Amino acid sequence: MQISLPLAIQLLSTGLFTAFGLYTLIYLIVSFFRKSPLIDRIDYEANRFISIVGAVYIFIWLISLFNELNTIESEDKAFLLNRMFGRYWIGFWTQPLLYMAITQLLRIQKLRTMKIIRFIFSLLLMVSLERIVIMSISLEPNYHFSSWIMPNTLLSTNYWILNCGIKLLIFLSFVGMYHLAKNKFKTMIS
């Protein structure tokens, strides 16, 4: 079984980072009303897991970038290098470095316990720069929706809620598997 590197990057960014953002919002709401050592332990494991995912993400992104530079034609390589180091270089580098920085900053306990910082981090992980650009373009006055046919809003709302729930469930399953593997590894060493 072979998986392409851009697909792996897409799965990590839209799947796990978005799910961690959703998890953080739910955690902040629940921890506001109820204090529990179990909830804090799950949060600790979720933060450790997402910090590892962030390191894996930047590693895969860099490998994909170097692979792309070595396999494309010279004209396409010039275009890619212009995107990387040209006038709009900030758009190319911001999102991957933001994902890496946020996930690694969550290793610091002081930042993990600050609720407002966690809220900002969750929003930054859930809403990528591509989504921000799409939303800002769609709010442009010259961009009219009047000729578009919109789907049934109840169906799309149910789909969105189901999508978020499945992402959250998969994320928490990965956190549980990470916790079990970490404990098994500790018992094997000692």
Side-chain angles (χ1 to χ4, degrees), residues 2 10 15 17 22 25-26 30 48 51 75 100 125-126 129 138 149-150 152 166 176 183 187 190:
Q2 184 178 8
Q10 186 72 19
F17 293 145
L22 289 169
L25 292 177
I26 292 171
V30 169
R48 298 291 294 183
S51 65
E75 184 178 308
M100 187 205 55
L125 286 174
M126 283 191 312
L129 292 177
S138 66
I149 298 173
M150 296 301 287
N152 184 355
I166 289 173
N183 286 344
T187 58
S190 58

Side-chain angles (χ1 to χ4, degrees), residues 79-171:
F79 176 73
L80 181 59
L81 288 172
N82 188 33
R83 280 184 58 207
M84 290 171 60
F85 303 110
R87 184 174 182 188
Y88 301 109
W89 63 271
I90 192 95
F92 185 83
W93 294 100
T94 302
Q95 194 67 40
L97 294 177
L98 186 69
Y99 282 156
M100 187 205 55
I102 288 173
T103 56
Q104 299 315 305
L105 285 173
L106 286 171
R107 291 179 183 255
I108 303 169
Q109 183 186 6
K110 186 78 171 166
L111 292 176
R112 268 197 325 260
T113 56
M114 297 173 74
K115 306 260 189 240
I116 190 72
I117 297 293
R118 286 287 297 272
F119 179 73
I120 292 169
F121 283 176
S122 70
L123 291 180
L124 289 174
L125 286 174
M126 283 191 312
V127 181
S128 69
L129 292 177
E130 293 170 359
R131 292 181 189 151
I132 291 172
V133 168
I134 290 170
M135 285 186 272
S136 63
I137 288 173
S138 66
L139 294 175
E140 182 70 29
N142 295 331
Y143 192 76
H144 298 290
F145 289 107
S146 61
S147 63
W148 288 19
I149 298 173
M150 296 301 287
N152 184 355
T153 56
L154 181 62
L155 181 62
S156 62
T157 304
N158 289 342
Y159 175 75
W160 184 81
I161 291 171
L162 181 65
N163 189 14
C164 290
I166 289 173
K167 282 182 182 180
L168 193 59
L169 184 65
I170 290 171
F171 175 75

Side-chain angles (χ1 to χ4, degrees), residues 32-76:
F32 183 72
F33 293 111
R34 182 175 178 178
K35 304 287 185 209
S36 170
L38 177 64
I39 294 172
D40 292 337
R41 183 68 185 160
I42 292 171
D43 183 57
Y44 174 77
E45 294 295 338
N47 282 295
R48 298 291 294 183
F49 175 73
I50 204 67
S51 65
I52 292 170
V53 169
V56 168
Y57 174 82
I58 198 69
F59 183 69
I60 291 174
W61 185 78
L62 288 173
I63 289 174
S64 177
L65 182 64
F66 288 126
N67 185 32
E68 187 77 18
L69 281 171
N70 289 328
T71 58
I72 59 177
E73 301 293 326
S74 62
E75 184 178 308
D76 293 332

